Amino acid sequence: MSERFLWQFEWDCGRQGDLEGLFVATEAEVQELMGQDVNFGEVLGKHSEVYGTIEEGEITKVELDTETVEKVTAILGDTWSGYNPLEYVSYECSKCEYNYTANEFNKEKGMCNYCAKEMEAE
């Protein structure tokens, strides 16, 4: 398993406010996140609809040893506070062509969990 680190996410949303978060991920996961579209929904209030593309500089590594990161992650999970942008990446289903979040999408099959389940049933 690759080493995991603590990362700080900061996104300036103008007058609406800011999104911040502390989360655990590998360097490869964070690098893959760069340039990805994310959709946080109405997290800053009704009709706020916060979405955009993750860019360099919006996620920075926190200097904390990996042993400590893993110990705290065992208690708090991968998201320590605020928003984890990895959970809000939009993936387009190759079958129905709708967008889904990471927990609704099967990366291996390239489709949403709903379409994947339908295909298994056929």
Side-chain angles (χ1 to χ4, degrees), residues 6-21:
L6 181 62
W7 301 87
Q8 182 173 10
F9 168 62
E10 293 182 81
W11 222 15
D12 179 3
C13 300
R15 293 187 319 193
Q16 293 178 329
D18 298 327
L19 290 187
E20 298 177 342

Side-chain angles (χ1 to χ4, degrees), residues 13-110:
C13 300
R15 293 187 319 193
Q16 293 178 329
D18 298 327
L19 290 187
E20 298 177 342
L22 288 172
F23 65 98
V24 176
T26 65
E27 287 183 340
E29 288 172 317
V30 170
Q31 195 57 42
E32 185 180 311
L33 186 58
M34 295 301 130
Q36 293 285 335
D37 292 330
V38 291
N39 187 338
F40 294 94
E42 296 181 336
V43 296
L44 294 176
K46 192 169 183 161
H47 306 297
S48 63
E49 206 55 44
V50 178
Y51 61 91
T53 304
I54 299 293
E55 298 175 3
E56 297 285 339
E58 296 171 337
I59 298 175
T60 54
K61 188 189 292 186
V62 176
E63 293 302 320
L64 189 61
D65 65 273
T66 56
E67 184 178 324
T68 301
V69 169
E70 291 303 333
K71 284 180 181 178
V72 176
T73 299
I75 298 166
L76 297 180
D78 288 343
T79 303
W80 291 15
S81 71
Y83 295 93
N84 180 346
L86 290 170
E87 296 173 358
Y88 295 91
V89 173
S90 296
Y91 297 97
E92 185 176 311
C93 177
S94 60
K95 187 172 179 189
C96 68
E97 298 181 351
Y98 287 110
N99 287 330
Y100 294 90
T101 60
N103 63 347
E104 300 171 313
F105 193 79
N106 186 321
K107 281 186 179 180
E108 292 174 5
K109 295 183 179 180

